[in-house]
Amino acid sequence: MTPMWTDVKSVLPASGAEFPLCFSEKVETSVLKALELSRDLMYRDPEHPSSADRAQLIIDYSWEKLNTGTWRDVDKDWRRVYSYGCLFKVLSLCNGNPSQSNIQEAIRTCDMSFLMGASIMDDILQKLIFSKTFIFFNMKQKMKTCCASEPVINAAKELTRIYCPSLEHFRKEFLDPQKPVIIEGTTTHWPAFTEHPWSIDYLRTIAGYRTVPIEVGSKYTDEDWSQKLTTVNEFIDHYVIGTAEDGVGYLAQHQLFDQARYNFKIPELKEDIRIPDYCCLGEGDEDDITINAWFGPAGTISPLHQDPQQNFLAQVVGRKYIRLYSPEETPNNPDLEKFPAFSQAPYQECVLGPGDVLFIPLKHWHYVRSLELSFSVSFWWS
């Protein structure tokens, strides 16, 4: 047994009898039988060549169910079936001595489960991909520098980068045609990078005892997602440091500036950032710009969604993987509750690093995953 498979088995139930497969009658008997066969084969003969094919059949069949009608009408059991198919596929890809391409495909499969599936088995796919004590920590070590701390970006799909464009150039090339772009070199004067570099210690000093709202859960589409009030220090101790040390547990993000439904401010932090000059191209004035700050540990996910306004997302600390889809996909997705079939849709992607500012045009769909401890600031403007 390879060390990699030993790590996988440590995440799985000890036997097939302890591996839950409970669904409503909406899931056909034939599908349940395919799931049971995949489970039994995984415990009996995980290297069997049919394992990957059966997993893909489950994924493909459930994918059709996810994309029949509107998203709000999709029964959650079919989202769970999809996630089980993804799990079986990841396990087949990780068996033996997987190649780098298999590892990359396993990571992509996990991401598709986060986008389109539902939580299963106490977020087992989250544990596989994010926990430092489980398999994908070892995978990233094996993949060394190319994949050690970030996804492999497809060069053909990578977002354009530009250094300090003029207002007119930004308007003509990106704002008017509504094209996403990463702007470099416009945040170097922020106190958050110079006079008061943002860090956990700085946040404790400035706002440690302030009570703020947080969002707790692996992603806000899951049933375990919730909101609560806590102090900044409690949030750091329980959700940030605890997550980093344990490698498991809840993922959370922390809003630190204004947010419409909370109307909360930490003025000292707000003094450390600057509104991008490009916002002056909008219709409103500075008071109409909504500023949100986001703070959370590695693994925090924002599932595919749209923002209500144009967005500049500025990265201050850490890095985030972001995937964007054009609003041209929206005819199949008329509101936030109706996520369509995006596996075949064209997209763009990037890793946003400290100092980068991503322009997300109005109604562009985007999926965000923190690759490490992250501070970000978003500016919503019209």
Side-chain angles (χ1 to χ4, degrees):
M1 183 180 297
T2 65
M4 185 170 290
W5 188 246
T6 299
D7 287 337
V8 168
K9 286 182 68 69
S10 71
V11 182
L12 296 171
S15 66
E18 301 173 54
F19 191 104
L21 286 173
C22 301
F23 296 92
S24 71
E25 59 185 14
K26 293 183 179 181
V27 176
E28 294 100 317
T29 302
S30 59
V31 176
L32 184 58
K33 185 65 175 178
L35 289 166
E36 291 172 344
L37 288 172
S38 292
R39 175 195 61 190
D40 296 343
L41 188 61
M42 179 183 66
Y43 282 95
R44 185 177 67 251
D45 184 10
E47 296 187 35
H48 196 283
S50 70
S51 297
D53 292 339
R54 183 174 285 113
Q56 191 61 51
L57 285 173
I58 295 170
I59 290 173
D60 292 343
Y61 188 80
S62 58
W63 185 260
E64 294 299 321
K65 295 290 186 179
L66 296 183
N67 294 285
T68 300
T70 60
W71 180 255
R72 69 174 60 182
D73 295 327
V74 174
D75 191 273
K76 188 175 181 180
D77 269 356
W78 283 113
R79 294 174 57 205
R80 294 176 58 237
V81 169
Y82 180 80
S83 289
Y84 272 105
C86 290
L87 173 61
F88 291 134
K89 181 176 179 178
V90 168
L91 295 175
S92 68
L93 288 166
C94 293
N95 198 273
N97 187 27
S99 65
Q100 183 172 328
S101 62
N102 277 5
I103 293 169
Q104 293 174 9
E105 178 63 16
I107 294 173
R108 192 195 72 82
T109 301
C110 283
D111 280 337
M112 289 305 300
S113 173
F114 303 150
L115 282 165
M116 301 298 294
S119 175
I120 58 172
M121 298 174 63
D122 194 26
D123 274 340
I124 187 170
L125 285 159
Q126 293 273 16
K127 293 177 181 177
L128 284 171
I129 198 169
F130 293 128
S131 172
K132 72 177 183 180
T133 59
F134 292 118
I135 185 62
F136 281 102
F137 174 79
N138 292 328
M139 286 182 177
K140 289 174 182 177
Q141 296 302 308
K142 180 176 179 178
M143 292 161 74
K144 297 182 181 178
T145 56
C146 70
C147 302
S149 54
E150 63 185 63
V152 175
I153 302 298
N154 185 329
K157 300 179 183 295
E158 188 169 9
L159 277 167
T160 300
R161 289 177 172 268
I162 188 169
Y163 185 83
C164 290
S166 67
L167 293 177
E168 183 57 34
H169 183 77
F170 173 74
R171 181 201 291 274
K172 179 181 177 182
E173 298 296 329
F174 304 104
L175 180 58
D176 288 346
Q178 291 286 276
K179 291 174 57 178
V181 65
I182 297 173
I183 300 174
E184 300 177 338
T186 62
T187 62
T188 55
H189 64 293
W190 285 13
F193 290 101
T194 57
E195 301 168 33
H196 309 129
W198 281 9
S199 66
I200 288 179
D201 289 341
Y202 178 66
L203 185 56
R204 286 190 190 274
T205 300
I206 292 296
Y209 294 100
R210 301 291 296 274
T211 298
V212 293
I214 67 169
E215 300 172 352
V216 180
S218 53
K219 48 185 175 175
Y220 58 73
T221 53
D222 282 350
E223 290 182 348
D224 65 352
W225 183 88
S226 64
Q227 297 169 304
K228 62 185 293 187
L229 295 176
T230 186
T231 67
V232 171
N233 280 336
E234 289 170 343
F235 173 81
I236 292 171
D237 291 339
H238 188 66
Y239 295 107
V240 178
I241 295 178
T243 299
E245 291 178 351
D246 300 337
V248 295
Y250 289 108
L251 302 175
Q253 61 185 356
H254 202 168
Q255 292 179 299
L256 300 175
F257 292 164
D258 293 334
Q259 210 282 342
R261 65 184 173 219
Y262 297 130
N263 192 28
F264 176 81
K265 299 181 180 180
I266 297 180
E268 296 87 349
L269 282 177
K270 201 170 182 180
E271 291 298 317
D272 288 342
I273 59 96
R274 300 289 183 265
I275 294 174
D277 292 341
Y278 307 101
C279 290
C280 74
L281 298 172
E283 298 176 353
D285 55 33
E286 186 171 312
D287 292 337
D288 297 320
I289 298 171
T290 300
I291 306 175
N292 298 325
W294 306 96
F295 167 51
T300 301
I301 289 175
S302 293
L304 210 60
H305 68 285
Q306 294 171 307
D307 293 331
Q309 296 174 284
Q310 317 272 17
N311 184 7
F312 284 117
L313 179 62
Q315 193 66 18
V316 182
V317 175
R319 295 169 308 135
K320 286 182 171 178
Y321 170 78
I322 301 175
R323 179 180 288 194
L324 297 99
Y325 295 87
S326 166
E328 293 177 1
E329 306 301 324
T330 302
N332 296 321
N333 185 13
D335 62 47
L336 293 179
E337 296 181 357
K338 299 176 182 178
F339 298 148
F342 275 110
S343 68
Q344 303 302 318
Y347 64 87
Q348 294 176 283
E349 62 182 352
C350 69
V351 170
L352 204 66
D356 291 342
V357 178
L358 171 62
F359 171 55
I360 304 176
L362 178 66
K363 299 300 183 182
H364 264 67
W365 296 95
H366 49 289
Y367 162 84
V368 184
R369 170 157 54 91
S370 297
L371 301 177
E372 52 206 24
L373 178 73
S374 173
F375 288 78
S376 307
V377 183
S378 60
F379 302 86
W380 287 353
W381 57 290
S382 297

